[in-house]
Amino acid sequence: MDSLFSLKDFDLEQKNPSEEALRRWRSALFFVRNRCRRFRNVADLAKRAEAEKKKRNIQEKLRVALYVQKAALQFIDAGVRVEYKLSDEAIEAGFTIDPDELASIVRGHDIKGLKHYNGVEGIARKVLVSLNEGVHESDIPIRQKIFGINLYTEKPPRTFLMFVWEALQDLTLIILMVCAAVSIGVGLATEGWPKGLYDGLGIILSIFLVSLVTAISDYKQSLQFRDLEREKKKIMIHVTRDGHRQKISIYDLVVGDVVHLSVGDKVPADGILISGHALVIDESSLSGESEPVNINEERPFLLTGTKVQDGSGKMLVTTVGMRTEWGKLVETLNEGGEDETPLQVKLNGVATIIGKIGLTFAVITFLVLTGRFLLEKAIKDKITDWSSTDALTLINYFAIAVTIIVVAVPEGLPLAVTLSLAFAMKKLMNDHALVRHLSACETMGSANCICTDKTGTLTTNHMMVDKIWICNEIMKIENNNNENILQSELSRGVLNILLQAIFQNTNSEVVKDKEGKTSILGTPTESALLEFGLILGGDFDVQRREYKIIKVEPFNSVKKKMSTLVAIPGGGMRAFCKGASEIVLGMCDKVIDESGKPVPLSVEQARYIVDVINDLASEALRTLCLVFKDLNESSDENGIPESGYTLITVVGIKDPVRPGVKEAVQTCLAAGITVRMVTGDNINTAKAIAKECGILTSDGEAIEGQKFRNMSPEEMKCIIPKLQVMARSLPLDKHALVTQLRSTFGDIVAVTGDGTNDAPALRGADIGLAMGIAGTEVAKENADVIILDDNFSTIINAAKWGRAVYINIQKFVQFQLTVNIVALFINFFSACISGSAPLTAVQLLWVNMIMDTLGALALATEPPNDGLMKRPPIGRGESFITNIMWRNIIGQSIYQLVVILTLYFEGTKLLDLTGTDATNVLDTVIFNSFVFCQVFNEINSREMEKINVFRGIFSSWMFIGIIIVTVVFQVIIVEFLGTFASTVPLNWQLWVLCIVIGAMSMPLAVIIKFIPVKNSALKRQHHDGYDLLPAGSDLA
């Protein structure tokens, strides 16, 4: 069977497919009934190329503006500046600078223009804002009216009528409409009004019903995608408003806002730097230049869409929305659409192959019917005698052939993938996982390895100081009762230097809201330290006012430390540093004594402190060292020293394991998914947490990143199968591990990340998972899925939904192929033998709707069950249509063909039908039985291997609804729409017969499932040493 369904041209990489592969499968398509609908969710390569060209042109213009124009401005006298006229509204509101002039200063990096207005302070006065207080909430409406809203022009959403029009673009439906029109014309001429209208009108009404149902399904799908797109664009930023720091949406940003920027943030609007520390900006997304830019007083301009690569700072917003260069560029970013998923492409291939077969059968059926008709006329010697009735007969033959194509070309197969993915993405959104790329939802079901962070993913990320080592003592910190105890045990000198180290060397802030409630804004680790400082009786604001910060080197995952240089009020300077305990301890040659004075750090004492660090780490505590160094006035102000520090304390921070993580890890292992922890923490801390989570086993390996990166490829190949924990790792170590797993072992890897430096690993993995709470905007932008609650259990839920998507599409394909085969062979055999087709065009259109749109809604949207995580993941390159599916398809097809053809040829005798309407009654019984076979086979398709097909059926309201709607409409068509559908009402005995014929497919399905088949997909051996779970009746 696999040779028949050779899909070589329809193989697509799971992530970032090449343009050659995208073009290859498009050129391999044979027959597409409705290009508008089929390619709606497929990348438009021509539009994409055009958008890329447009983007390059904008970037080139921007480069000229930034570099050439800036140079030219050096030669332009400030006296010949362009005059801008303020609007009456702006004057009335009190603003003294035109919005376009303000935009041009920042866009053109016009430093002379900035100086002309006395720098950022002067600009702030002109837009009526205090750099300390920020914008007042009451001023926001007038600012939005005069300076604009921070929104970008978007394409208007498609209306419902557009989807109806698209559904009517189906080539076969258009041909049928033409046939129907001709049929009406000929019918009225021969049979008169209204009888001559019925056949053609029946086809037209069926076409519009099919189109309407299709349009409703597609429109609902588009609404789901629109909601998800809106969620993707939700970005929160820190601003100062009314004197208080708060979080707002970027879309609420106005000119005059004071924005706080830190590593990994995306600049939300054009602006001017107010203050900053080592602020480095990546402008490549805007200008195309890969070289990062240092932002300082000489170059204070910040542009929308650029990213903070290092450092921190505050900026004054000067331009928002479509006045920014990013506003013009953003229109090109999503032009051409998103890449199609591998499953969409694969099913396009299946549809192409079936389409070829269907077209061949349709042509043969038409030729056989026409040939028999001509032969009969020739035998009766009437070959030259033609009437309008003969023409109507030929038109009906042609309509049947075209309708066979409608049924045989499974246009809904690739679209069912999109439907299922849209449904899964919506459900995942409700379960705290935002899927940014369609293919990720699909690929997640195939993941057999997850490389996860520790902090915030496996742990709660609610950190608090649990123990500290200070002055040769280990102290346990319990709740808020330690202020008096610690103050009594520590001398004033020790307490002072400890509070300085906590409050001066931090990027976080202690702020008060409008109600006066104190809160801490910053990372969980720094928040834990600041909270500890407050418990000790420290005052953040007093400390910050007392010392002037000269330089800050923010924490990053490479250096694993943060340093700050401050000026001491009495003269001199002091450097503070904190970070990874063993790294920072190595920078120390002194330690404070009980009075807070530095004394030499002996080798023995250093060894003792290392033991303390290891003991704390073994208790699953994150350890940090806080150190300082005094510098005299002659020291280099621009450099923070790397050695000669004095150790103040070792802090042990507790971050409890999330509830349910151990169970989630066990679920992964049962599902054939290996979990590896990759963390920047101390190896003992990592091992303790990994054991608690069930990740590190007795035969597993835990190593440090430095050891891993120094290994040869052969050594890596030996250790990776046993590797369960990598500690003190750099982002490059994570990237190297992911690369090895994918290239050497062929794993499908999901990797988590939250920092800017995690971007390469997130891009390089099959599925990049960014953290929604702790993750930076850069990490989120490079991820495929955003875990909104940072919870490991949510990742498992995404894997479960990914598997559900794959299985659901397999169910739908099994169901649709059965209908395809039966409909094709029934019409073909009956045409060849009897010269007529038992199923009319209208009936086949109804069957098409059952198996296409309604079938996809019923089967492709079923929720996952726990059994899905008791089977192995789908490996790379495995056949989509499995032997198990072929067994079920062939078994059901044979049964339906035997029953329908027996009824067709012997039904009159078997059912003892007599009278003038016997033929019509038999045709109705055949049609009714055929439809009920599909209804019951739809239920059978819920489980491809298990016998109990009713398990969980009531949790899928969509499935129940579709079955009920199908049965109700079938009753209406048979009993009340016979004039249009060529049916007659049936008595209750014949209704029971039709239902029994359909229902017999269910016990038959049980018998078929006992037929053994070889399922090669389940014979793989995992490289981590365990056998993948076998298939069987206990699987989902």
Side-chain angles (χ1 to χ4, degrees):
M1 288 294 179
D2 284 346
S3 59
L4 175 65
F5 279 78
S6 176
L7 299 171
K8 199 180 294 181
D9 290 330
F10 295 90
D11 278 339
L12 199 70
E13 298 93 333
Q14 286 175 317
K15 195 170 180 180
N16 304 320
S18 65
E19 188 164 328
E20 182 195 349
L22 294 175
R23 292 192 184 282
R24 185 177 63 238
W25 81 261
R26 284 165 172 76
S27 61
L29 288 176
F30 170 68
F31 179 73
V32 179
R33 285 166 32 197
N34 190 338
R35 299 192 77 83
C36 290
R37 187 165 179 254
R38 177 84 76 90
F39 293 113
R40 186 193 304 128
N41 295 300
V42 168
D44 187 326
L45 300 181
K47 269 190 181 178
R48 185 181 284 183
E50 189 182 324
E52 189 61 34
K53 187 179 177 183
K54 186 178 174 184
K55 179 183 171 184
R56 282 197 300 269
N57 288 338
I58 293 172
Q59 287 180 330
E60 188 57 38
K61 285 177 186 174
L62 194 62
R63 259 198 301 275
V64 170
L66 293 184
Y67 300 104
V68 180
Q69 181 182 332
K70 188 179 74 170
L73 283 170
Q74 307 297 322
F75 301 98
I76 298 174
D77 188 77
V80 292
R81 301 189 61 79
V82 176
E83 288 294 328
Y84 291 88
K85 188 180 178 186
L86 268 172
S87 67
D88 293 337
E89 280 182 318
I91 294 168
E92 190 181 334
F95 299 111
T96 54
I97 189 167
D98 183 75
D100 291 326
E101 182 178 7
L102 193 53
S104 70
I105 289 171
V106 177
R107 186 171 57 240
H109 283 38
D110 184 359
I111 196 72
K112 281 196 172 185
L114 183 61
K115 287 177 180 175
H116 174 74
Y117 289 115
N118 299 316
V120 67
E121 292 85 2
I123 295 290
R125 285 192 293 273
K126 288 195 168 289
V127 295
L128 304 178
V129 72
S130 160
L131 295 179
N132 293 322
E133 295 289 315
V135 167
H136 295 293
E137 292 282 350
S138 57
D139 294 342
I140 289 171
I142 191 67
R143 289 178 183 276
Q144 289 180 331
K145 188 176 181 182
I146 291 169
F147 292 99
I149 300 171
N150 200 29
L151 291 172
Y152 307 115
T153 303
E154 292 183 354
K155 286 182 179 177
R158 301 158 77 92
T159 63
F160 174 69
L161 289 176
M162 291 172 75
F163 284 98
V164 174
W165 178 249
E166 266 192 12
L168 288 168
Q169 300 303 302
D170 190 312
L171 179 62
T172 51
L173 295 186
I174 292 169
I175 293 170
L176 282 175
M177 280 192 276
V178 173
C179 290
V182 174
S183 175
I184 289 171
V186 175
L188 288 173
T190 56
E191 299 179 35
W193 176 274
K195 195 177 178 185
L197 198 68
Y198 294 150
D199 287 346
L201 190 60
I203 293 173
I204 289 172
L205 289 175
S206 300
I207 287 168
F208 277 105
L209 181 63
V210 168
S211 301
L212 194 64
V213 172
T214 301
I216 291 169
S217 172
D218 291 348
Y219 180 64
K220 285 187 71 177
Q221 202 180 113
S222 76
L223 292 179
Q224 288 179 321
F225 281 127
R226 203 186 305 168
D227 290 342
L228 290 165
E229 201 60 38
R230 205 175 290 125
E231 287 293 330
K232 286 182 199 176
K233 294 174 182 174
K234 278 187 181 176
I235 299 173
M236 304 301 288
I237 49 165
H238 285 273
V239 298
T240 297
R241 281 187 178 175
D242 291 323
H244 301 286
R245 186 163 164 176
Q246 54 191 274
K247 279 176 104 173
I248 64 165
S249 165
I250 60 165
Y251 301 119
D252 296 330
L253 207 61
V254 294
V255 169
D257 263 321
V258 175
V259 177
H260 300 256
L261 298 172
S262 56
V263 176
D265 284 347
K266 202 170 180 179
V267 179
D270 287 1
I272 303 168
L273 180 72
I274 299 170
S275 62
H277 301 291
L279 188 59
V280 179
I281 297 290
D282 174 10
E283 293 186 344
S284 59
S285 58
L286 196 60
S287 67
E289 293 290 335
S290 57
E291 195 65 33
V293 177
N294 291 301
I295 302 297
N296 47 45
E297 287 184 7
E298 286 75 36
R299 186 171 182 162
F301 304 107
L302 292 139
L303 298 176
T304 318
T306 57
K307 302 176 187 75
V308 181
Q309 190 167 305
D310 206 354
S312 60
K314 288 197 297 183
M315 67 172 262
L316 175 70
V317 174
T318 58
T319 321
V320 294
M322 290 307 293
R323 274 198 173 96
T324 66
E325 288 299 323
W326 182 255
K328 298 167 191 172
L329 188 63
V330 79
E331 291 178 304
T332 69
L333 295 183
N334 294 319
E335 195 68 41
E338 192 177 329
D339 284 337
E340 49 272 29
T341 74
L343 201 49
Q344 279 176 322
V345 174
K346 199 170 280 188
L347 289 181
N348 265 294
V350 173
T352 294
I353 293 166
I354 297 172
K356 288 177 182 177
I357 297 168
L359 188 61
T360 304
F361 272 82
V363 171
I364 293 170
T365 302
F366 177 70
L367 292 176
V368 169
L369 288 171
T370 307
R372 285 182 65 99
F373 177 73
L374 293 174
L375 188 62
E376 284 176 11
K377 284 185 77 68
I379 290 169
K380 294 175 184 177
D381 201 21
K382 292 183 179 180
I383 196 70
T384 56
D385 183 15
W386 287 83
S387 65
S388 55
T389 307
D390 294 336
L392 195 60
T393 304
L394 288 175
I395 289 167
N396 285 336
Y397 288 163
F398 184 70
I400 288 168
V402 173
T403 314
I404 287 173
I405 297 172
V406 173
V407 178
V409 178
E411 197 77 7
L413 279 185
L415 300 168
V417 180
T418 313
L419 175 68
S420 187
L421 288 171
F423 182 78
M425 287 166 74
K426 185 73 175 174
K427 292 293 183 183
L428 279 170
M429 182 69 224
N430 297 334
D431 292 338
H432 311 294
L434 173 59
V435 180
R436 294 186 73 250
H437 300 128
L438 267 179
S439 58
C441 190
E442 182 183 298
T443 311
M444 198 65 209
S446 301
N448 62 348
C449 175
I450 298 174
C451 296
T452 176
D453 288 334
K454 174 185 75 68
T455 306
T457 309
L458 299 172
T459 60
T460 60
N461 218 12
H462 296 146
M463 299 191 187
M464 56 194 307
V465 175
D466 187 64
K467 286 183 179 180
I468 66 166
W469 174 92
I470 191 166
C471 300
N472 285 319
E473 283 189 49
I474 295 176
M475 300 181 184
K476 174 77 174 171
I477 312 298
E478 292 178 2
N479 300 326
N480 295 340
N481 303 322
N482 295 86
E483 180 180 346
N484 296 330
I485 299 169
L486 286 170
Q487 286 184 358
S488 63
E489 291 190 11
L490 301 176
S491 69
R492 177 52 53 187
V494 172
L495 196 59
N496 281 343
I497 194 66
L498 176 59
L499 289 173
Q500 285 177 34
I502 290 171
F503 289 131
Q504 298 299 331
N505 189 26
T506 181
N507 268 333
S508 298
E509 286 188 48
V510 179
V511 297
K512 289 187 178 179
D513 59 21
K514 293 175 184 177
E515 286 77 36
K517 186 181 176 183
T518 300
S519 59
I520 299 170
L521 298 175
T523 64
T525 305
E526 293 209 325
S527 296
L529 285 173
L530 287 178
E531 192 174 352
F532 177 57
L534 295 174
I535 290 170
L536 292 175
D539 189 312
F540 180 82
D541 292 329
V542 170
Q543 285 275 352
R544 282 302 181 97
R545 282 197 299 270
E546 193 174 340
Y547 295 86
K548 181 188 176 185
I549 294 176
I550 296 167
K551 187 173 182 181
V552 176
E553 288 182 358
F555 178 88
N556 69 43
S557 51
V558 177
K559 294 182 292 186
K560 299 195 182 298
K561 62 185 176 69
M562 175 183 179
S563 305
T564 302
L565 188 64
V566 300
I568 302 173
M573 291 180 292
R574 182 169 287 163
F576 293 99
C577 182
K578 69 180 178 195
S581 46
E582 62 272 30
I583 294 172
V584 176
L585 179 62
M587 298 162 60
C588 297
D589 56 12
K590 291 181 280 295
V591 62
I592 59 167
D593 61 13
E594 287 77 4
S595 63
K597 301 292 182 186
V599 295
L601 177 66
S602 66
V603 176
E604 291 77 15
Q605 194 172 14
R607 284 202 201 101
Y608 165 68
I609 295 168
V610 169
D611 290 339
V612 168
I613 290 168
N614 289 335
D615 288 344
L616 293 175
S618 298
E619 295 176 37
L621 300 179
R622 168 177 278 191
T623 59
L624 299 175
C625 283
L626 276 58
V627 303
F628 80 99
K629 180 178 183 179
D630 284 326
L631 307 168
N632 55 40
E633 295 285 357
S634 60
S635 299
D636 179 11
E637 278 195 16
N638 294 321
I640 299 177
E642 293 291 325
S643 60
Y645 282 88
T646 301
L647 176 65
I648 303 169
T649 182
V650 178
V651 180
I653 296 174
K654 187 176 185 179
D655 186 12
V657 170
R658 283 183 183 272
V661 162
K662 188 167 185 178
E663 292 78 8
V665 170
Q666 292 306 312
T667 300
C668 279
L669 296 175
I673 302 171
T674 306
V675 182
R676 293 180 170 89
M677 179 198 287
V678 183
T679 178
D681 260 347
N682 179 292
I683 191 162
N684 292 316
T685 306
K687 284 163 76 173
I689 294 286
K691 283 176 183 173
E692 192 176 343
C693 295
I695 293 172
L696 184 61
T697 57
S698 56
D699 57 345
E701 288 280 349
I703 65 169
E704 291 191 334
Q706 186 176 3
K707 183 179 177 183
F708 179 78
R709 83 181 75 106
N710 292 331
M711 286 181 173
S712 66
E714 290 74 23
E715 289 173 320
M716 284 185 182
K717 194 173 180 180
C718 290
I719 199 168
I720 283 175
K722 295 180 287 181
L723 181 62
Q724 292 171 340
V725 176
M726 190 191 292
R728 284 288 181 242
S729 66
L730 302 179
L732 288 176
D733 299 330
K734 187 189 283 187
H735 187 239
L737 176 61
V738 169
T739 304
Q740 284 290 329
L741 285 166
R742 293 187 73 209
S743 59
T744 307
F745 296 99
D747 280 359
I748 297 172
V749 184
V751 64
T752 68
D754 53 17
T756 306
N757 292 328
D758 285 326
L762 291 169
R763 280 197 306 269
D766 293 286
I767 312 108
L769 305 162
M771 299 297 108
I773 299 170
T776 63
E777 285 308 316
V778 173
K780 292 174 188 176
E781 202 171 72
N782 285 279
D784 303 296
V785 181
I786 299 172
I787 307 300
L788 298 173
D789 61 354
D790 291 13
N791 194 335
F792 185 77
S793 298
T794 303
I795 299 172
I796 308 310
N797 203 31
K800 190 191 290 186
W801 269 103
R803 292 185 177 199
V805 167
Y806 195 90
I807 297 293
N808 286 346
I809 299 302
Q810 283 187 316
K811 294 174 189 176
F812 174 63
V813 169
Q814 176 182 296
F815 169 67
Q816 192 169 56
L817 288 186
T818 306
V819 186
N820 287 142
I821 290 169
V822 176
L824 271 178
F825 279 97
I826 284 174
N827 275 20
F828 176 70
F829 284 139
S830 57
C832 290
I833 297 168
S834 70
S836 63
L839 299 175
T840 66
V842 172
Q843 291 168 358
L844 283 172
L845 283 171
W846 168 235
V847 169
N848 177 66
M849 193 160 75
I850 293 172
M851 74 169 192
D852 199 327
T853 308
L854 296 180
L857 283 169
L859 292 168
T861 59
E862 285 228 281
N865 56 63
D866 292 334
L868 289 173
M869 299 305 282
K870 294 176 183 174
R871 62 187 303 154
I874 298 97
R876 293 185 196 271
E878 286 187 8
S879 176
F880 177 74
I881 303 178
T882 64
N883 292 335
I884 289 169
M885 290 168 68
W886 277 123
R887 176 194 65 191
N888 298 339
I889 291 166
I890 292 168
Q892 289 291 340
S893 297
I894 290 171
Y895 166 72
Q896 291 185 28
L897 282 169
V898 167
V899 170
I900 301 300
L901 290 174
T902 301
L903 282 173
Y904 183 68
F905 292 110
E906 300 294 330
T908 309
K909 291 179 187 175
L910 292 173
L911 302 178
D912 194 24
L913 298 175
T914 57
T916 54
D917 64 343
T919 304
N920 291 334
V921 171
L922 180 61
D923 287 344
T924 304
V925 169
I926 290 170
F927 168 56
N928 210 25
S929 300
F930 181 64
V931 169
F932 275 101
C933 280
Q934 310 324 316
V935 169
F936 284 99
N937 193 38
E938 200 164 359
I939 298 171
N940 285 331
S941 297
R942 292 189 70 247
E943 293 287 357
M944 291 183 287
E945 296 175 71
K946 288 198 73 174
I947 291 168
N948 182 8
V949 295
F950 294 103
R951 189 182 69 167
I953 195 169
F954 293 108
S955 65
S956 179
W957 60 267
M958 180 75 80
F959 187 90
I960 297 287
I962 295 295
I963 294 294
I964 292 170
V965 166
T966 304
V967 172
V968 169
F969 263 86
Q970 181 64 17
V971 172
I972 292 169
I973 287 169
V974 171
E975 296 294 323
F976 305 107
L977 298 177
T979 307
F980 300 105
S982 304
T983 60
V984 294
L986 300 178
N987 58 40
W988 69 269
Q989 292 97 334
L990 291 177
W991 270 104
V992 170
L993 175 67
C994 295
I995 293 168
V996 168
I997 287 171
M1000 283 301 294
S1001 67
M1002 299 194 75
L1004 176 70
V1006 174
I1007 296 166
I1008 290 170
K1009 285 169 186 174
F1010 280 105
I1011 299 172
V1013 292
K1014 183 183 177 185
N1015 198 5
S1016 58
L1018 299 167
K1019 297 298 180 186
R1020 294 176 288 118
Q1021 172 87 15
H1022 197 276
H1023 64 76
D1024 286 343
Y1026 59 81
D1027 288 314
L1028 294 177
L1029 300 172
S1033 60
D1034 60 328
L1035 294 182

